[in-house]
Amino acid sequence: MSDLPDAFYLPAGADRYEPTRATESPWDSGSQHGGPPTALLAHAIDATAGPGLRLARISVDFLGPIPRREVRIEVSPVKPGRLVSLSEARMVVDGRTAVTARAWHIATGPPPPVTGERIAPPAPPETVTSPEPAPELEGWGYGEAVEWRFSEGGHGTPGLARVWTRVRVPLVAGEDMTGLARTLVVADSANGLSAVLPFHEWLSIPPSMTTTLLRVPEGEWVHMDCRTHLAPDGIGLAQATLCDSEGHLGEVAQPLLVRER
């Protein structure tokens, strides 16, 4: 495994960031994987949230390949509010909006008398044998920037995947990694982890990704239970249930364009 950069992004001035090799897409070394941009947009939106509000859902739209060049982040309110608030962020590269995100923040309050059905946490990552790095991860920045511990499936293995993930570098150099960023860096990997068709023969492109979070993630590890479903007309759906060591965190959904290469 090659040396890792200091972070996914280096600060480059007001609202500007330089993406490092850790953001590198598996398809094009000059483009970014969708996970780090998602986390950076959520990080920027979260910084504008009022007191007592917590990010509950983020929906991200990828408007094309995301160049691995300096980005500018713009954040604007859509629906300010004391109990619920909707904000929008844009990642601009070379004067073009490459990614947009909308996030709902919801006010926290006193605990309810019941919490609903509880999803037990998976077996802890320490009990999962960490295999040698898969050959397809070597030299791929994003793949190397995350530690993957599979209890089912694996890189290059079609179908259901269950995996503990741990992000190896901070989101932004010089800043602490938050649980929110740690989760969103990996959430957009659901379709790649659970693809049911071979990558070298089929395209499986998610133009959008939505993550809904039940609570603030705890600890360094995030577990993803991923699966992909395909319709007979070339559209698919990738989903993932997110957990940490305490149990259920949230859900991921990605619509897919599925085409033979």
Side-chain angles (χ1 to χ4, degrees):
M1 184 175 295
S2 54
D3 292 337
L4 293 174
D6 292 338
F8 289 98
Y9 295 97
L10 306 178
D15 302 320
R16 293 179 179 272
Y17 301 88
E18 184 70 34
T20 70
R21 193 179 67 82
T23 68
E24 181 184 11
S25 163
W27 310 117
D28 177 6
S29 62
S31 297
Q32 299 183 57
H33 185 279
T38 297
L40 186 63
L41 290 170
H43 175 72
I45 291 174
D46 208 40
T48 68
L53 293 172
R54 177 163 62 76
L55 191 146
R57 193 217 70 176
I58 184 166
S59 183
V60 182
D61 296 312
F62 306 107
L63 307 183
I66 312 166
R68 193 153 62 87
R69 295 194 290 275
E70 183 179 275
V71 306
R72 186 178 80 253
I73 304 298
E74 303 172 346
V75 180
S76 56
V78 177
K79 184 214 172 293
R82 183 175 56 85
L83 296 179
V84 294
S85 173
L86 178 64
S87 299
E88 181 177 80
R90 295 163 293 282
M91 175 175 281
V92 181
V93 187
D94 299 335
R96 176 184 73 86
T97 300
V99 190
T100 64
R102 281 194 166 196
W104 280 101
H105 280 76
I106 299 177
T108 58
V114 296
T115 57
E117 182 181 359
R118 185 175 185 271
I119 296 178
E126 294 79 10
T127 66
V128 179
T129 302
S130 184
E132 292 297 316
E136 55 265 32
L137 295 182
E138 294 179 1
W140 167 33
Y142 173 83
E144 293 184 350
V146 179
E147 182 176 352
W148 313 89
R149 293 195 181 187
F150 288 90
S151 58
E152 187 165 346
H155 290 289
T157 301
L160 180 72
R162 294 188 173 100
V163 59
W164 280 106
T165 68
R166 178 166 63 177
V167 177
R168 298 179 188 271
V169 297
L171 178 64
V172 178
E175 298 185 18
D176 292 335
M177 189 70 161
T178 65
L180 174 64
R182 194 180 306 281
T183 303
L184 293 178
V185 162
V186 299
D188 188 56
S189 297
N191 68 301
L193 293 170
S194 63
V196 294
L197 294 169
F199 283 119
H200 65 281
E201 297 176 9
W202 290 83
L203 294 171
S204 180
I205 301 173
S208 180
M209 189 275 295
T210 298
T211 299
T212 304
L213 291 172
L214 174 65
R215 56 180 176 81
V216 176
E218 300 285 345
E220 292 187 322
W221 292 93
V222 174
H223 187 271
M224 300 181 68
D225 186 337
C226 313
R227 56 269 180 204
T228 291
H229 313 275
L230 302 183
D233 61 355
I235 296 177
L237 172 63
Q239 297 172 294
T241 296
L242 303 173
C243 290
D244 60 11
S245 59
E246 300 300 315
H248 191 205
L249 272 182
E251 304 291 331
V252 177
Q254 298 169 291
L256 302 174
L257 168 71
V258 181
R259 292 290 187 276
E260 193 170 8
R261 291 181 182 275

